[in-house]
Amino acid sequence: MQLSRRTLLTMLPASTLLAVAAPLRARAAGRPAATTATSAADPGANHAALLANTVAIFAGTAESNARPEVAAKLAAIDSTARTRLTALDGAGPGELFKGVALGTSDANLNTSYQYLYEIALATRTPGPAASDLREDTSVQRRVIDGLVLLHDTYYGDQSKGYYGNWFNWEIGISASVSRILVLLKDELAAYRPDLTTTYVSSMDAYLRNGKDGDVDLDSRFHTGANLADITTNRILQGAVTGDDARVVKAVADQLTVYATVDPYRPRHGVTDGFYADGSFIQHDSVAYTGSYGKVLLTRAVQTVKILEGTDYLGTDADAGTENDSDTGTGTADLVAVVRGWVADGFAPLIFEGWMMEIVKGRGVSRTATGYTDVAVVVEAVVDLSGHSTGADATALQGYVKFVRQTSKAALDPAVFVSPVSVARYADILADTSVPAADLGDAESHTAFNAMDKTVHRRPGYAFALARSSDRISKYEYMSGENLMPWFQGDGAHYLYLAGQDQTRSFGIDYYTTVSPYRLAGVTAPVETRRTIPELYGTAWYDNPERGFTSSSESQNTYVYFPRGTNTVSGGARLGAYGAVGLVLGDDVAYAAKQAGELPDDFVVHRNATATKSWFMLDDEIVVLAAGVGDAAGRAVTTTLDSRIAAASDAVTVTGRLRDGAAWPGGGGTAPGPVAWLRYADAGQGISVGYVFLDGGGDSRPTVTLDTVTRSRRVVRTSNPDTPVTKRVFSLSVDQPDGARRLSMAHALVPNATERQLKAYRAGHGHDGGRHDGGREHGNGAGRGPLSVVANTTRVQAVEHRGLSLLAVNTFTPGTHRADRLSIDGAASVLLRTSNDGTVSISVCDPTMRRKTVSVTVRGRWLRAVSSDDGVRVRKVPGGTRIDVDTHRTHGRSLTAQLR
């Protein structure tokens, strides 16, 4: 197998880091290390450097804080602290802070510790513009007194604690406390010298999903971003107590998080983390780059900064290597790994400064925007660039500028965690020698098959697709967040158009006003479902006798983030083009209930049926669906698209029927077969076209354009009760009860003009002028028709002759034929012929279970010019056979060039 630069960048340094972890573990256990790479000549010096670095991260330095660009950040720190002090003054019975009742709410206890940290932080910010709270001993002692009160009354008795969410007890509270112990180390020693060790002992006791008060790498709770959080806390605890063994073991434990996940040989059974294709998974099966992935990115970069100047990751001299930077060899390796995450895991998911919805889990129901999400990533990239050199540093700095330049929301660096990062961000923006540049190509196709997600990008748009399977969850619901998530992983798509403020099209208001049964791209039965709180009266299904508690494995499996039961979900990538297939399936809860494995009062839902493909080209995304219907005979709605607009926007829908008649205007069901429709929102200056293709049956879509007002609380119980009014456009195909199963075929055309849409019907396709290796075509001359080759539940295929591209998905055992291709079993295949006659082929196993996929190209024999390892080409009667070893490729595309 030939490893790409991306794979090498991501995998090799991680392996090196794991090698660094072994002697660290020996050091933690007091055993001699095999090499001197991690010998601790002076633990005290290491701890002093670590603590100084930590204070600098959160409070800034005298140099950074003297910068005028940092003044707003310092003002925010000061303002927050004063607000907390006012709340501290106004506290009533059963409170440390006014309005934050204690005794039964773990969230409020966590918040109380966070407020104490925010006060402590303001007392440690240096510089001329720092708060006058700086080094105010009386304020620091008020914080310490608050720690004493919380410990004595609400935290110190472990027999009474640990109610509610495990995260607050094992991570959230410990994070605030550990930082306070660092910030107020000297005053604690003078005022309450016993309190630090008391708290560390209690934090160990609350690490109940660990082992003997420490991390347990075999625990399902100590993985991914959670493990990074826990170990960062323990690094700080070890430094303030002088416990070097705690520090070195925590570093070694954290290094395991950075190893690329091998799904076939998971370490400690853990599947959480980054994969070779850039996917990130948390909770075993949730696509989570935009939430937990951000947390892990932040922690990784903070670890680099915290450990700078220490020997915990080794030194260049120890390793016998040359390095241009001041960081150790292990640090350089860690930086290289995280750079790979940014380039391959994050950048494809960020469009014009907006984090895509498909990787945010339950976070899609929060009021923070996709722009806010990306601010976290930008800060990490800013800091990462400071630990990189040469072309790597330039690329990261250029990306920071690119996000700033393309984002439709001004990034306020005052939201950064570190004042030092604010100053460095200003330096990057002011550096005229660094050009703004994306980390990827403007035309790209990213197959995140390890997490069942796909991103297709062109200069004018980005198309993001959310899938699910028996490996990846259909959605995530938890803690009253994302209350109506049922179809978010059933082929829901998000079409982001360039130059737009994405808050006007997506984000919290999209989920608030668009029906959960009519998300763009979804096929759903017509029924009304109830949320978890409506069904059970709590935020989870509570049945301890049957294994259902707030954080039990059964709760995770059947309530919080259920997987699907379907095996086909994935697709091939060939250059900047892609094919994706999905067979809808029920979730595991429905299957378990049918098998009698769940309690009688546990409510489950049956899915509709459909076999779907998405063929992602230049000017269009072609969507095929077959077998669309319902095994139970229910009515079914397939939503081709849903979009929102401001209530005052002038939204229009125009189009033509196949008989040439104009679309009658407004909403309703089409009076006859439709050729094309065009949605336009003059308020946003956007348009989307919908071309109905031959091979899709006699589908007569329905257009609705309603004004909808709902509260943001309908999707998340803790959201403010803020009403949102939007015009909601929906284009759907509706099937009544008992209807026969349908086939459908249409193309989504971003930024479409009416002239462009008319051209599809004139030539049964369209050429946008970027085909045939980039040759420009005049209007009408050289047009390559787009045609549906097959559209059944066995095989779906399209051909674009302007691109010389044939794209095929197959779904069942047996031999399938599509144009010049014969394909054995379930597969995804792209075949393209270039101007010089070279034929490129890409093959993927969308089940991730097949050992071999065989494809025959009928016609004259083609010799192999080049191929990936595992691809064999041979002559057979009537054509060329390509046998592809897909065993343990985990959905990766394998390619060959033939001539």
Side-chain angles (χ1 to χ4, degrees), residues 1-4 6-7 264 276-277 445-450 453-454 467 569-581 808-809 827-831 840-848 853 867-871 882-897:
M1 179 181 71
Q2 295 178 341
L3 293 177
S4 66
R6 170 171 70 185
T7 304
Y264 303 106
D277 68 358
H445 181 89
T446 306
F448 292 114
N449 283 332
K453 304 295 180 280
T454 306
R467 300 174 277 109
S569 177
R573 168 185 173 270
L574 182 61
Y577 301 101
V580 181
V808 186
N809 288 324
S828 182
V829 180
L830 294 167
L831 184 78
S840 299
I841 188 169
S842 177
V843 179
C844 162
D845 167 24
T847 72
M848 301 193 184
V853 173
S867 64
D868 289 337
D869 290 345
V871 179
I882 301 103
D883 294 311
V884 181
D885 292 336
T886 54
H887 182 55
R888 293 195 167 186
T889 56
H890 207 62
R892 183 166 57 89
S893 295
L894 297 174
T895 63
Q897 286 193 320

Side-chain angles (χ1 to χ4, degrees), residues 583-602:
V583 177
L584 291 186
D586 297 311
D587 66 18
V588 292
Y590 179 83
K593 185 70 176 287
Q594 299 307 112
E597 298 170 0
L598 293 176
D600 291 340
D601 66 338
F602 190 96

Side-chain angles (χ1 to χ4, degrees), residues 193-250:
D194 59 327
L195 192 60
T196 294
T197 55
T198 296
Y199 256 104
V200 170
S201 296
S202 291
M203 288 187 284
D204 287 351
Y206 278 118
L207 209 60
R208 296 186 183 179
N209 289 296
K211 186 175 182 179
D212 300 326
D214 199 351
V215 165
D216 180 5
L217 294 178
D218 293 315
S219 169
R220 66 185 175 91
F221 293 87
H222 293 188
T223 65
N226 288 333
L227 178 58
D229 280 341
I230 292 169
T231 51
T232 297
N233 293 340
R234 294 181 70 78
I235 289 170
L236 301 185
Q237 295 159 15
V240 295
T241 58
D243 185 349
D244 197 56
R246 178 183 290 255
V247 177
V248 296
K249 183 177 182 299

Side-chain angles (χ1 to χ4, degrees), residues 256-604:
T256 65
V257 179
Y258 306 125
T260 302
V261 176
D262 179 349
Y264 303 106
R265 290 182 297 179
R267 296 180 177 90
H268 302 283
V270 172
T271 57
D272 288 355
F274 279 92
Y275 288 67
D277 68 358
S279 297
F280 176 80
I281 291 174
Q282 187 77 30
H283 298 328
D284 289 332
S285 60
V286 179
Y288 235 157
T289 316
S291 187
Y292 275 87
K294 291 186 312 177
V295 173
L296 180 55
L297 176 65
T298 296
R299 291 293 171 269
V301 176
Q302 286 181 355
T303 294
V304 170
K305 295 167 69 177
I306 287 171
L307 299 183
E308 187 172 16
T310 73
D311 70 351
Y312 290 111
L313 291 178
T315 66
D316 295 334
D318 291 331
T321 63
E322 296 181 0
N323 195 321
D324 292 334
S325 71
D326 294 329
T327 58
T329 301
T331 303
D333 289 330
L334 177 53
V335 168
V337 169
V338 180
R339 278 199 306 266
W341 293 354
V342 172
D344 304 314
F346 286 92
L349 292 162
I350 296 172
F351 182 69
E352 296 187 343
W354 179 270
M355 177 66 71
M356 296 177 179
E357 274 74 9
I358 61 173
V359 289
K360 293 175 64 173
R362 67 186 188 269
V364 296
S365 65
R366 297 170 187 168
T367 56
T369 73
Y371 297 121
T372 304
D373 295 324
V374 171
V376 176
V377 178
V378 169
E379 180 176 8
V381 176
V382 165
D383 291 336
L384 198 62
S385 72
H387 288 81
S388 302
T389 58
D392 290 328
T394 300
L396 292 172
Q397 292 164 3
Y399 183 62
V400 169
K401 284 189 169 184
F402 177 79
V403 173
R404 164 71 178 266
Q405 185 181 89
T406 59
S407 177
K408 300 308 167 186
L411 190 155
D412 180 5
V415 303
F416 287 179
V417 170
S418 177
V420 177
S421 304
V422 176
R424 184 173 289 144
Y425 178 69
D427 289 339
I428 291 172
L429 296 184
D431 187 350
T432 57
S433 68
V434 176
D438 201 350
L439 291 174
D441 296 330
E443 297 189 1
S444 65
H445 181 89
T446 306
F448 292 114
N449 283 332
M451 61 178 179
D452 279 354
K453 304 295 180 280
T454 306
V455 175
H456 187 74
R457 298 172 69 121
R458 291 296 184 268
Y461 71 89
F463 179 82
L465 178 67
R467 300 174 277 109
S468 56
S469 64
D470 59 354
R471 299 171 291 99
I472 298 299
S473 299
K474 285 179 172 286
Y475 55 79
E476 187 199 32
Y477 157 82
M478 193 185 294
S479 302
E481 294 190 293
N482 204 19
L483 291 165
M484 299 182 290
W486 306 294
F487 304 102
Q488 291 171 1
D490 282 346
H493 76 247
Y494 305 82
L495 178 58
Y496 305 96
L497 301 177
Q500 305 305 307
D501 178 352
Q502 301 301 336
T503 61
R504 298 177 65 182
S505 297
F506 294 106
I508 177 63
D509 291 346
Y510 177 81
Y511 294 101
T512 297
T513 56
V514 174
S515 164
Y517 314 102
R518 288 179 174 266
L519 300 177
V522 162
T523 295
V526 178
E527 63 183 8
T528 300
R529 300 184 179 186
R530 291 183 292 165
T531 67
I532 295 299
E534 288 171 341
L535 286 170
Y536 307 119
T538 61
W540 59 86
Y541 173 66
D542 193 31
N543 189 341
E545 292 182 358
R546 295 294 297 272
F548 286 88
T549 60
S550 62
S551 58
S552 66
E553 289 193 64
S554 295
Q555 199 78 230
N556 291 350
T557 300
Y558 299 116
V559 179
Y560 290 159
F561 24 86
R563 292 175 170 91
T565 54
N566 53 299
T567 60
V568 177
S569 177
R573 168 185 173 270
L574 182 61
Y577 301 101
V580 181
L582 171 68
V583 177
L584 291 186
D586 297 311
D587 66 18
V588 292
Y590 179 83
K593 185 70 176 287
Q594 299 307 112
E597 298 170 0
L598 293 176
D600 291 340
D601 66 338
F602 190 96
V603 177
V604 298

Side-chain angles (χ1 to χ4, degrees), residues 62-144:
E63 181 182 12
S64 70
N65 294 2
R67 296 277 298 273
E69 300 93 341
V70 182
K73 174 63 182 177
L74 299 179
I77 292 173
D78 179 72
S79 175
T80 299
R82 293 185 187 281
T83 299
R84 305 310 182 215
L85 284 167
T86 299
L88 185 63
D89 292 336
E95 299 175 340
L96 181 59
F97 293 92
K98 184 179 180 180
V100 187
L102 298 169
T104 59
S105 171
D106 58 305
N108 282 356
L109 182 59
N110 184 40
T111 296
S112 297
Y113 277 109
Q114 178 188 327
Y115 286 1
L116 288 176
Y117 161 71
E118 290 167 343
I119 297 170
L121 179 62
T123 71
R124 293 302 313 278
T125 53
S131 169
D132 59 12
L133 296 175
R134 179 188 177 194
E135 305 303 344
D136 188 322
T137 302
S138 63
V139 173
Q140 291 179 343
R141 292 193 172 188
R142 291 193 71 185
V143 171
I144 295 170

